[in-house]
Amino acid sequence: MKRDMDLVRLLLFKIEEAGAPIDSRAFALTEEQTKQAPYHLRMLSDAEYIRGAPSSNGLVWGRLELTWAGHEFLDTLRDPTVWEKTKSGAAKVGGVGVDMLLGIAKEYLKSELRERLGLSL
């Protein structure tokens, strides 16, 4: 299965919006997203972006919550303009890993801050 960064971002938003540990069955996902969610939740757990526990069959995750790194990921990629520019930039080189994706996002975020707030970063 391929990693779907849009789904990764969506899952992190769902966990954040819950405000308390949440069960993955509470997510409002499409049928395809529901099929892919366990794989992506496992990757997010491996990357230490979330904490949670998979069911015995691995299809449902319980007690999901963000870690500090998960919050940092979302805060960097929260703005839809920054997210779209980041994905576009990464696609121009055929895709990148998460660290590089966040690096690209941070540069776009700085650019947006300069433009919107008149800051020199």
Side-chain angles (χ1 to χ4, degrees):
M1 182 177 297
K2 292 178 88 175
R3 183 170 54 181
D4 179 341
M5 293 307 292
D6 284 312
L7 181 56
V8 164
R9 184 172 174 261
L10 175 64
L11 292 170
L12 291 173
F13 274 129
K14 298 274 186 192
I15 295 167
E16 179 189 53
E17 289 168 6
I22 187 173
D23 185 307
S24 65
R25 289 176 289 203
F27 299 157
L29 302 172
T30 66
E31 185 177 337
E32 185 60 29
Q33 289 170 332
T34 298
K35 289 178 189 175
Q36 293 183 18
Y39 175 77
H40 287 78
L41 290 168
R42 187 173 55 253
M43 286 193 308
L44 286 166
S45 178
D46 290 347
E48 297 182 351
Y49 282 26
I50 63 169
R51 278 188 285 276
S55 61
S56 59
N57 64 9
L59 297 178
V60 175
W61 282 64
R63 300 186 322 261
L64 288 166
E65 59 186 356
L66 294 179
T67 63
W68 185 269
H71 281 286
E72 289 292 308
F73 180 93
L74 273 185
D75 287 343
T76 302
L77 294 166
R78 183 174 307 281
D79 182 89
T81 301
V82 171
W83 176 238
E84 290 304 320
K85 287 181 177 181
T86 300
K87 288 192 314 178
S88 176
K92 288 178 184 176
V93 294
V96 297
V98 172
D99 289 341
M100 186 59 66
L101 186 80
L102 285 171
I104 294 168
K106 286 176 184 179
E107 292 303 316
Y108 282 125
L109 184 57
K110 287 178 188 177
S111 175
E112 289 295 317
L113 287 170
R114 281 192 293 272
E115 183 178 314
R116 294 180 196 177
L117 303 176
L119 298 175
S120 73
L121 301 170

